[in-house]
Coordinates of all heavy atoms in Angstrom, one line a residue:
M24 N 0.8 -1.2 -0.1 CA 0.0 -0.1 0.0 C 0.9 1.2 0.0 O 1.7 1.4 0.8 CB -0.8 0.0 1.2 CG -1.8 1.1 1.3 SD -3.0 0.8 2.6 CE -2.7 2.0 3.8
R25 N 0.8 2.1 -0.9 CA 1.5 3.3 -1.1 C 1.0 4.3 -0.1 O -0.2 4.7 0.0 CB 1.4 3.8 -2.4 CG 2.4 5.0 -2.8 CD 2.5 5.3 -4.2 NE 3.3 6.4 -4.4 CZ 4.6 6.3 -4.7 NH1 5.2 5.1 -4.8 NH2 5.4 7.3 -4.7
L26 N 2.0 4.9 0.6 CA 1.6 6.1 1.6 C 1.3 7.4 0.9 O 2.0 7.9 0.1 CB 2.9 6.3 2.6 CG 2.6 7.4 3.6 CD1 1.4 7.1 4.5 CD2 3.8 7.5 4.4
N27 N 0.0 7.8 1.1 CA -0.3 9.1 0.5 C 0.1 10.2 1.5 O -0.7 10.5 2.4 CB -1.9 9.2 0.1 CG -2.2 10.4 -0.5 OD1 -1.5 11.4 -0.7 ND2 -3.4 10.3 -1.1
L28 N 1.0 11.0 1.2 CA 1.5 12.0 2.1 C 0.7 13.4 2.0 O 0.9 14.3 2.8 CB 3.0 12.3 1.9 CG 4.0 11.2 2.1 CD1 5.4 11.7 1.7 CD2 3.9 10.8 3.5
F29 N -0.3 13.5 1.1 CA -1.0 14.7 0.9 C -2.4 14.6 1.4 O -3.2 15.5 1.2 CB -0.9 15.1 -0.6 CG 0.4 15.3 -1.1 CD1 1.1 14.3 -1.8 CD2 1.1 16.5 -0.8 CE1 2.3 14.5 -2.3 CE2 2.4 16.6 -1.2 CZ 3.1 15.6 -1.9
V30 N -2.7 13.4 2.1 CA -4.1 13.3 2.6 C -4.4 14.4 3.7 O -5.4 15.0 3.6 CB -4.3 11.9 3.3 CG1 -5.6 11.9 4.0 CG2 -4.2 10.9 2.2
I31 N -3.5 14.8 4.5 CA -3.7 15.8 5.5 C -3.8 17.2 4.9 O -4.7 17.9 5.3 CB -2.5 15.8 6.5 CG1 -2.4 14.5 7.3 CG2 -2.5 17.1 7.5 CD1 -1.2 14.4 8.2
Q32 N -3.1 17.4 3.9 CA -3.2 18.8 3.1 C -4.5 18.8 2.5 O -5.1 19.8 2.5 CB -2.0 19.0 2.1 CG -0.8 19.4 2.8 CD 0.3 19.6 1.7 OE1 0.4 19.0 0.7 NE2 1.1 20.7 2.0
E33 N -4.9 17.7 1.9 CA -6.3 17.8 1.2 C -7.3 18.0 2.2 O -8.4 18.7 1.8 CB -6.5 16.4 0.5 CG -5.6 16.2 -0.7 CD -5.6 14.8 -1.3 OE1 -6.6 14.0 -0.8 OE2 -4.8 14.5 -2.2
F34 N -7.3 17.3 3.4 CA -8.3 17.5 4.4 C -8.4 19.0 4.9 O -9.4 19.5 5.0 CB -8.0 16.6 5.6 CG -9.0 16.9 6.7 CD1 -10.3 16.5 6.8 CD2 -8.5 17.6 7.9 CE1 -11.1 16.7 7.8 CE2 -9.4 17.9 9.0 CZ -10.7 17.4 8.9
I35 N -7.2 19.6 5.1 CA -7.1 20.9 5.5 C -7.8 21.9 4.5 O -8.5 22.7 4.7 CB -5.7 21.4 5.8 CG1 -5.1 20.7 7.0 CG2 -5.6 22.9 6.0 CD1 -3.6 21.0 7.3
A36 N -7.4 21.6 3.2 CA -7.9 22.5 2.1 C -9.4 22.4 2.1 O -10.1 23.4 2.0 CB -7.3 22.0 0.8
K37 N -10.0 21.1 2.3 CA -11.4 20.9 2.2 C -12.1 21.6 3.4 O -13.2 22.2 3.3 CB -11.7 19.4 2.1 CG -13.3 19.1 2.0 CD -13.8 19.7 0.7 CE -15.2 19.2 0.5 NZ -15.8 19.8 -0.6
A38 N -11.4 21.4 4.6 CA -12.0 22.0 5.8 C -12.2 23.5 5.8 O -13.0 24.0 6.4 CB -11.3 21.6 7.1
I39 N -11.2 24.2 5.2 CA -11.2 25.7 5.2 C -11.8 26.2 3.9 O -11.9 27.5 3.8 CB -9.8 26.2 5.4 CG1 -8.9 25.9 4.3 CG2 -9.2 25.7 6.7 CD1 -7.6 26.5 4.4
T40 N -12.4 25.5 3.1 CA -13.0 26.0 1.8 C -14.4 26.4 2.0 O -15.2 25.7 2.6 CB -13.0 24.9 0.7 OG1 -11.6 24.5 0.5 CG2 -13.6 25.4 -0.6
L41 N -14.8 27.7 1.7 CA -16.1 28.1 1.9 C -17.0 27.5 0.8 O -16.5 27.1 -0.2 CB -16.3 29.6 1.6 CG -15.5 30.5 2.7 CD1 -15.6 31.9 2.2 CD2 -16.2 30.4 4.0
P42 N -18.3 27.3 1.1 CA -19.2 26.7 0.1 C -19.2 27.6 -1.2 O -19.1 28.8 -1.0 CB -20.6 26.8 0.7 CG -20.4 27.2 2.1 CD -19.0 27.6 2.3
G43 N -19.4 27.1 -2.4 CA -19.4 27.8 -3.6 C -20.7 28.7 -3.7 O -21.7 28.4 -3.0
E44 N -20.6 29.7 -4.5 CA -21.8 30.5 -4.7 C -23.0 29.7 -5.2 O -24.1 29.9 -4.8 CB -21.4 31.7 -5.7 CG -20.5 32.6 -5.1 CD -20.1 33.8 -6.1 OE1 -20.6 33.9 -7.2 OE2 -19.2 34.6 -5.7
G45 N -22.7 28.8 -6.1 CA -23.9 28.0 -6.5 C -24.4 27.1 -5.5 O -25.7 27.0 -5.4
E46 N -23.7 26.6 -4.7 CA -24.1 25.7 -3.5 C -25.0 26.6 -2.6 O -26.1 26.1 -2.1 CB -22.9 25.2 -2.8 CG -23.3 24.1 -1.7 CD -22.1 23.6 -1.1 OE1 -20.9 23.8 -1.5 OE2 -22.3 22.8 0.0
I47 N -24.6 27.9 -2.4 CA -25.3 28.7 -1.4 C -26.6 29.0 -2.0 O -27.7 29.0 -1.4 CB -24.5 29.9 -1.0 CG1 -23.2 29.6 -0.3 CG2 -25.4 31.0 -0.3 CD1 -22.3 30.7 -0.2
M48 N -26.6 29.4 -3.4 CA -27.9 29.8 -4.0 C -28.9 28.6 -4.1 O -30.1 28.8 -4.1 CB -27.5 30.3 -5.4 CG -27.1 31.7 -5.4 SD -27.0 32.4 -7.1 CE -25.4 31.9 -7.6
D49 N -28.3 27.4 -4.2 CA -29.3 26.3 -4.1 C -29.9 26.1 -2.8 O -31.1 25.5 -2.8 CB -28.5 24.9 -4.3 CG -27.9 24.7 -5.8 OD1 -28.6 25.5 -6.7 OD2 -27.1 24.0 -6.0
M50 N -29.4 26.7 -1.8 CA -30.1 26.7 -0.5 C -31.2 27.8 -0.2 O -32.0 27.8 0.7 CB -29.1 26.8 0.7 CG -28.1 25.7 0.7 SD -27.0 25.9 2.1 CE -25.4 25.3 1.5
M51 N -31.2 28.8 -1.1 CA -32.0 29.9 -1.0 C -33.3 29.7 -1.7 O -33.4 29.0 -2.7 CB -31.3 31.2 -1.7 CG -30.1 31.5 -1.0 SD -29.1 32.8 -1.9 CE -30.1 34.2 -1.4
E52 N -34.4 30.3 -1.1 CA -35.6 30.2 -1.7 C -35.8 30.9 -3.0 O -36.2 30.5 -4.1 CB -36.7 30.7 -0.8 CG -38.1 30.2 -1.0 CD -39.1 30.6 0.0 OE1 -38.8 30.1 1.1 OE2 -40.0 31.3 -0.2
V53 N -35.2 32.2 -3.0 CA -35.0 33.0 -4.2 C -33.5 33.3 -4.4 O -33.0 34.0 -3.6 CB -35.9 34.3 -4.1 CG1 -35.6 35.1 -5.3 CG2 -37.3 34.0 -4.0
A54 N -32.8 32.8 -5.4 CA -31.5 33.1 -5.6 C -31.1 34.5 -5.9 O -31.8 35.1 -6.8 CB -31.0 32.1 -6.7
D55 N -30.2 35.0 -5.2 CA -29.7 36.4 -5.6 C -28.2 36.4 -5.6 O -27.4 36.5 -4.6 CB -30.1 37.2 -4.3 CG -29.7 38.8 -4.6 OD1 -29.0 39.0 -5.5 OD2 -30.2 39.6 -3.8
P56 N -27.7 36.1 -6.9 CA -26.3 36.0 -7.2 C -25.4 37.2 -6.5 O -24.3 36.9 -6.0 CB -26.1 35.9 -8.6 CG -27.5 35.5 -9.1 CD -28.5 36.1 -8.2
D57 N -25.9 38.4 -6.7 CA -25.1 39.6 -6.3 C -25.0 39.5 -4.8 O -23.9 39.8 -4.3 CB -25.8 40.9 -6.7 CG -25.8 41.1 -8.3 OD1 -24.9 40.5 -8.9 OD2 -26.7 41.7 -8.8
A58 N -26.0 39.2 -4.1 CA -26.0 39.1 -2.6 C -25.0 38.0 -2.2 O -24.2 38.3 -1.3 CB -27.4 39.0 -2.0
V59 N -25.1 36.9 -2.8 CA -24.3 35.7 -2.4 C -22.9 36.1 -2.6 O -22.0 35.8 -1.8 CB -24.8 34.5 -3.2 CG1 -23.7 33.4 -3.0 CG2 -26.1 34.0 -2.8
H60 N -22.6 36.7 -3.8 CA -21.1 37.1 -4.0 C -20.6 38.0 -3.1 O -19.5 38.0 -2.5 CB -21.1 37.6 -5.5 CG -19.7 38.0 -5.8 ND1 -18.7 37.2 -6.1 CD2 -19.1 39.3 -5.9 CE1 -17.6 37.8 -6.4 NE2 -17.8 39.1 -6.2
A61 N -21.4 39.1 -2.7 CA -21.0 40.1 -1.7 C -20.7 39.5 -0.4 O -19.7 39.8 0.2 CB -22.0 41.2 -1.8
V62 N -21.7 38.7 0.1 CA -21.5 38.1 1.4 C -20.3 37.1 1.5 O -19.6 37.1 2.4 CB -22.8 37.5 1.9 CG1 -22.7 36.6 3.1 CG2 -23.9 38.5 2.1
R63 N -20.2 36.4 0.5 CA -19.1 35.4 0.5 C -17.7 36.1 0.4 O -16.8 35.7 1.1 CB -19.2 34.4 -0.7 CG -18.5 33.2 -0.7 CD -18.9 32.3 -1.8 NE -18.0 31.1 -1.8 CZ -16.8 31.1 -2.4 NH1 -16.3 32.1 -3.1 NH2 -16.0 30.0 -2.4
S64 N -17.6 37.1 -0.4 CA -16.5 37.9 -0.4 C -16.0 38.6 0.9 O -15.0 38.5 1.3 CB -16.6 39.0 -1.5 OG -16.6 38.4 -2.8
F65 N -17.1 39.1 1.6 CA -17.0 39.7 2.9 C -16.5 38.7 3.9 O -15.5 38.9 4.6 CB -18.3 40.4 3.3 CG -18.3 40.8 4.8 CD1 -17.6 42.1 5.0 CD2 -18.8 40.2 5.8 CE1 -17.5 42.6 6.3 CE2 -18.7 40.6 7.1 CZ -18.1 41.9 7.3
I66 N -17.1 37.5 3.9 CA -16.7 36.5 4.9 C -15.3 36.0 4.6 O -14.6 35.9 5.6 CB -17.7 35.2 4.8 CG1 -19.1 35.7 5.4 CG2 -17.2 34.1 5.5 CD1 -20.2 34.7 5.1
R67 N -14.9 35.8 3.3 CA -13.6 35.3 3.1 C -12.5 36.4 3.5 O -11.6 36.0 4.2 CB -13.4 35.2 1.5 CG -12.1 34.5 1.1 CD -12.0 34.2 -0.4 NE -12.1 35.4 -1.1 CZ -13.2 35.6 -2.0 NH1 -14.1 34.7 -2.1 NH2 -13.2 36.7 -2.7
K68 N -12.8 37.8 3.3 CA -11.8 38.7 3.8 C -11.8 38.8 5.3 O -10.8 39.0 5.8 CB -12.2 40.1 3.1 CG -12.0 40.1 1.6 CD -12.5 41.4 1.1 CE -12.4 41.4 -0.4 NZ -13.0 42.6 -1.0
Q69 N -13.0 38.7 5.9 CA -12.9 38.8 7.4 C -12.2 37.6 8.0 O -11.4 37.8 9.0 CB -14.4 38.8 7.9 CG -15.1 40.1 7.7 CD -14.5 41.2 8.5 OE1 -13.8 42.1 7.8 NE2 -14.4 41.1 9.8
L70 N -12.5 36.4 7.5 CA -11.8 35.2 8.0 C -10.2 35.4 7.8 O -9.5 35.0 8.6 CB -12.3 33.9 7.4 CG -13.7 33.5 7.8 CD1 -14.2 32.3 6.9 CD2 -13.8 33.2 9.4
A71 N -9.9 35.8 6.6 CA -8.5 35.9 6.3 C -7.8 36.9 7.2 O -6.7 36.7 7.7 CB -8.4 36.4 4.8
S72 N -8.4 38.1 7.5 CA -7.7 39.0 8.4 C -7.8 38.6 9.8 O -6.8 38.8 10.5 CB -8.5 40.4 8.2 OG -9.7 40.4 8.6
E73 N -8.9 38.0 10.3 CA -9.0 37.7 11.7 C -8.3 36.5 12.1 O -7.8 36.3 13.2 CB -10.4 37.7 12.2 CG -11.1 39.0 12.1 CD -12.6 39.0 12.5 OE1 -12.9 38.1 13.2 OE2 -13.3 39.9 12.1
L74 N -8.1 35.5 11.2 CA -7.6 34.1 11.4 C -6.2 33.9 10.9 O -5.8 32.8 10.9 CB -8.6 33.2 11.1 CG -9.9 33.2 11.8 CD1 -10.8 32.1 11.3 CD2 -9.8 33.1 13.3
K75 N -5.5 34.9 10.2 CA -4.4 34.7 9.5 C -3.3 34.1 10.4 O -2.7 33.1 10.0 CB -3.8 36.0 9.0 CG -2.5 35.8 8.2 CD -2.1 37.2 7.6 CE -0.7 37.0 6.9 NZ -0.3 38.3 6.3
A76 N -3.1 34.6 11.6 CA -2.0 34.1 12.4 C -2.3 32.6 12.8 O -1.3 31.7 12.8 CB -1.8 34.9 13.7
E77 N -3.5 32.4 13.2 CA -3.9 31.0 13.6 C -3.7 30.1 12.5 O -3.3 28.9 12.6 CB -5.2 31.0 14.2 CG -5.6 29.7 14.8 CD -7.0 29.7 15.4 OE1 -7.5 30.8 15.7 OE2 -7.6 28.6 15.6
F78 N -4.1 30.5 11.3 CA -4.1 29.7 10.1 C -2.6 29.3 9.9 O -2.2 28.0 9.6 CB -4.7 30.4 8.9 CG -4.5 29.8 7.6 CD1 -5.2 28.7 7.2 CD2 -3.4 30.2 6.6 CE1 -5.0 28.0 6.0 CE2 -3.2 29.6 5.5 CZ -4.0 28.5 5.2
L79 N -1.7 30.3 9.8 CA -0.3 30.0 9.6 C 0.3 29.1 10.7 O 1.1 28.2 10.4 CB 0.4 31.3 9.4 CG 0.1 32.1 8.3 CD1 0.9 33.5 8.3 CD2 0.5 31.4 7.0
R80 N 0.0 29.3 11.9 CA 0.4 28.4 13.0 C -0.1 26.9 12.8 O 0.7 26.1 13.2 CB -0.1 28.9 14.4 CG 0.8 30.0 14.9 CD 0.4 30.2 16.4 NE -1.0 30.3 16.8 CZ -1.6 31.5 16.7 NH1 -1.0 32.6 16.4 NH2 -2.9 31.5 17.0
T81 N -1.2 26.8 12.2 CA -1.7 25.4 12.0 C -1.3 24.8 10.8 O -0.9 23.6 10.7 CB -3.3 25.5 11.9 OG1 -3.8 26.1 13.1 CG2 -3.9 24.2 11.8
V82 N -1.2 25.5 9.6 CA -0.8 24.8 8.3 C 0.7 24.7 8.1 O 1.1 23.7 7.6 CB -1.4 25.8 7.2 CG1 -1.0 25.3 5.8 CG2 -2.9 25.6 7.3
W83 N 1.4 25.7 8.5 CA 3.0 25.6 8.3 C 3.5 24.4 8.9 O 4.3 23.7 8.2 CB 3.6 26.9 8.6 CG 3.6 27.8 7.5 CD1 2.9 29.0 7.5 CD2 4.3 27.8 6.3 NE1 3.1 29.6 6.3 CE2 4.0 29.0 5.5 CE3 5.1 26.8 5.7 CZ2 4.5 29.1 4.3 CZ3 5.6 27.1 4.5 CH2 5.3 28.1 3.8
P84 N 3.3 24.0 10.1 CA 3.9 22.9 10.6 C 3.6 21.6 9.8 O 4.4 20.7 9.6 CB 3.4 22.7 12.1 CG 3.2 24.1 12.5 CD 2.6 24.7 11.2
V85 N 2.3 21.5 9.5 CA 1.9 20.4 8.7 C 2.6 20.3 7.4 O 3.0 19.3 6.9 CB 0.4 20.3 8.5 CG1 -0.1 19.2 7.5 CG2 -0.3 20.1 9.8
T86 N 2.6 21.4 6.7 CA 3.2 21.6 5.4 C 4.7 21.2 5.4 O 5.2 20.5 4.6 CB 3.1 23.0 4.8 OG1 1.6 23.3 4.7 CG2 3.7 23.1 3.4
L87 N 5.3 21.9 6.4 CA 6.8 21.6 6.6 C 7.1 20.1 6.9 O 8.0 19.5 6.4 CB 7.5 22.4 7.6 CG 7.5 23.9 7.2 CD1 8.0 24.8 8.4 CD2 8.2 24.2 5.9
G88 N 6.3 19.5 7.7 CA 6.4 18.1 8.0 C 6.2 17.2 6.9 O 6.9 16.2 6.6
L89 N 5.1 17.5 6.0 CA 5.0 16.7 4.9 C 6.0 16.8 3.8 O 6.5 15.9 3.2 CB 3.7 17.1 4.2 CG 2.4 16.6 5.0 CD1 1.1 17.2 4.3 CD2 2.3 15.1 5.0
L90 N 6.6 18.0 3.7 CA 7.7 18.3 2.8 C 8.9 17.5 3.2 O 9.6 16.8 2.5 CB 8.0 19.8 2.7 CG 9.2 20.2 1.9 CD1 9.0 19.8 0.4 CD2 9.5 21.6 1.9
Y91 N 9.2 17.5 4.6 CA 10.2 16.7 5.1 C 10.1 15.1 4.8 O 11.0 14.5 4.3 CB 10.4 16.9 6.6 CG 11.3 16.0 7.3 CD1 12.8 16.3 7.2 CD2 10.9 14.8 7.9 CE1 13.7 15.4 7.9 CE2 11.9 14.0 8.6 CZ 13.2 14.3 8.5 OH 14.1 13.4 9.1
L92 N 9.0 14.7 5.1 CA 8.6 13.3 4.8 C 8.9 12.9 3.3 O 9.3 12.0 3.0 CB 7.2 12.9 5.3 CG 7.0 12.8 6.8 CD1 5.6 12.6 7.1 CD2 7.9 11.6 7.4
Y93 N 8.4 13.8 2.5 CA 8.4 13.6 1.1 C 9.9 13.6 0.6 O 10.2 12.7 -0.2 CB 7.6 14.7 0.4 CG 7.7 14.5 -1.2 CD1 6.9 13.6 -1.8 CD2 8.5 15.3 -2.0 CE1 7.0 13.4 -3.2 CE2 8.6 15.2 -3.3 CZ 7.8 14.3 -4.0 OH 7.9 14.1 -5.3
L94 N 10.6 14.5 1.1 CA 12.0 14.6 0.7 C 12.9 13.4 1.2 O 13.8 12.9 0.6 CB 12.7 15.9 1.2 CG 12.2 17.1 0.4 CD1 12.7 18.4 1.0 CD2 12.4 17.1 -1.1
M95 N 12.5 13.0 2.5 CA 13.4 12.0 3.2 C 13.0 10.6 2.7 O 13.7 9.6 2.7 CB 13.2 12.1 4.7 CG 13.8 13.3 5.3 SD 15.5 13.5 4.8 CE 16.3 12.3 5.7
Y96 N 11.7 10.4 2.4 CA 11.2 9.0 2.1 C 10.2 9.1 0.9 O 9.0 8.8 1.1 CB 10.3 8.5 3.3 CG 11.1 8.6 4.6 CD1 10.9 9.6 5.5 CD2 12.0 7.6 5.0 CE1 11.6 9.6 6.8 CE2 12.8 7.6 6.1 CZ 12.5 8.6 7.0 OH 13.3 8.6 8.2
P97 N 10.7 9.4 -0.2 CA 9.8 9.6 -1.4 C 9.2 8.3 -1.9 O 8.2 8.5 -2.5 CB 10.7 10.2 -2.4 CG 12.1 9.7 -2.0 CD 12.1 9.6 -0.4
L98 N 9.7 7.2 -1.6 CA 9.1 6.0 -2.2 C 8.5 5.1 -1.2 O 8.5 3.9 -1.2 CB 10.2 5.3 -3.0 CG 10.8 6.1 -4.1 CD1 11.9 5.3 -4.8 CD2 9.7 6.5 -5.1
L99 N 8.0 5.6 -0.1 CA 7.3 4.8 1.1 C 6.2 4.0 0.3 O 5.4 4.5 -0.4 CB 6.9 5.6 2.1 CG 7.9 6.2 3.1 CD1 7.2 7.0 4.1 CD2 8.7 5.1 3.7
D100 N 6.1 2.7 0.6 CA 5.0 1.8 0.3 C 4.3 1.4 1.5 O 4.8 1.1 2.5 CB 5.5 0.7 -0.6 CG 6.0 1.2 -1.9 OD1 5.3 2.0 -2.5 OD2 7.0 0.6 -2.4

């Protein structure tokens, strides 16, 4: 069985991804693309500014650890 070193990164990416505009509009009784776009953009900017330090503290160790494993053990099975 080949070790997939990117599973953790894939999980982090999925966990921090906002729902798409289409997905949000599907939940609305009356779809309003302009409102969805404006709110989604606002939320993304707020999260980025307020959680930047925490995000970097969480993601960088994982990224560096995976890079180390990849470089040290590229052919793990």
Side-chain angles (χ1 to χ4, degrees):
M24 180 165 117
R25 188 170 177 96
L26 178 62
N27 185 350
L28 298 176
F29 299 102
V30 170
I31 295 171
Q32 282 183 327
E33 291 172 8
F34 173 77
I35 290 171
K37 183 66 175 173
I39 65 173
T40 301
L41 294 175
E44 291 179 4
E46 186 178 352
I47 295 169
M48 282 189 274
D49 287 343
M50 295 181 221
M51 299 172 76
E52 201 169 299
V53 177
D55 184 348
D57 293 331
V59 170
H60 179 75
V62 169
R63 194 170 176 276
S64 294
F65 174 78
I66 290 171
R67 185 176 61 244
K68 289 175 186 174
Q69 284 298 113
L70 289 174
S72 67
E73 292 180 21
L74 299 175
K75 180 180 179 180
E77 186 174 345
F78 172 78
L79 292 175
R80 278 195 309 272
T81 302
V82 173
W83 272 109
V85 172
T86 302
L87 293 175
L89 288 172
L90 178 61
Y91 171 80
L92 286 174
Y93 179 76
L94 292 173
M95 296 303 293
Y96 307 101
L98 302 176
L99 285 177
D100 287 318

